[in-house]
Amino acid sequence: MSRQVFFYDQPERFVAGTVGQPGARAFYLQASARGRITSVLLEKTQVAALAERIEEVLDEALRRSGGDAAIPARAPVELIDTAPLDLPLEQEFRVGTMALAWDSVDSCLVVEAQAVVEGEAEGEEDGAEQVFEDDENGPDMLRVRLSGPMARVFAKRALDLVAAGRKPCPFCNLPLDPEGHLCPRANGYRR
């Protein structure tokens, strides 16, 4: 069986979303363009890690360009997408490995999410990282190319989505972080 690559170059929409109630939510990445929709299932921790890493890559690309790259410092409010996932929600695969990079030639962020490979869920026995070329025998993959503003918007929504399942702080109403919350309104109160 040959590999499927779901490719989106500057999609109309690329979002992280959930199905279900906090504590029992399923997390998805979803890309859509011209009536085509691709949804892949992943873990909450993968969504958080992807969003945080996107922010880091964008900040580094902006720094390296001397501020000339078309990357906003914050997500443009007018582009923020709060709509639910598109339906029908049909999972193409469960995400195992993710990668991303800034393409300085085309000024875009490239996000790749590869399907879980047998044995990957338990972890590699020898500790070696498995790298796949773009060949027909690798795992299925979702590859998305995003502009700087769209990448910032994706990261913001994803981080907000992860935080939405947490209880709010009684002082500032920000989501409580399981590793500790420094409340800006309670003079350094940690919870």
Side-chain angles (χ1 to χ4, degrees), residues 26-29 39-43 46 91-95:
F27 286 77
Y28 291 89
L29 293 180
S39 305
V40 296
L41 181 68
L42 71 168
E43 298 295 324
Q46 289 174 299
Q91 172 188 325
E92 298 297 338
F93 59 83
R94 175 181 282 278
V95 175

Side-chain angles (χ1 to χ4, degrees), residues 50-66:
L50 177 62
E52 290 166 4
R53 186 69 182 123
I54 285 173
E55 291 283 358
E56 291 169 6
V57 168
L58 293 175
D59 290 345
E60 180 63 14
L62 190 56
R63 185 189 68 73
R64 286 186 180 193
S65 75

Side-chain angles (χ1 to χ4, degrees), residues 7 32 43 60 63 74 82 84 113 116 130-131 148-150 166 172 179 182:
F7 180 66
S32 59
E43 298 295 324
E60 180 63 14
R63 185 189 68 73
R74 297 197 192 291
T82 58
V116 170
Q130 214 169 355
V131 178
M150 192 167 189
R166 298 184 192 145
C172 68
E179 296 175 12
L182 182 58

Side-chain angles (χ1 to χ4, degrees), residues 94-118:
R94 175 181 282 278
V95 175
T97 304
M98 293 186 297
L100 56 100
W102 179 256
D103 179 342
S104 58
V105 174
D106 292 332
S107 296
C108 67
L109 184 76
V110 180
V111 178
E112 292 183 351
Q114 293 183 345
V116 170
V117 176
E118 192 171 317

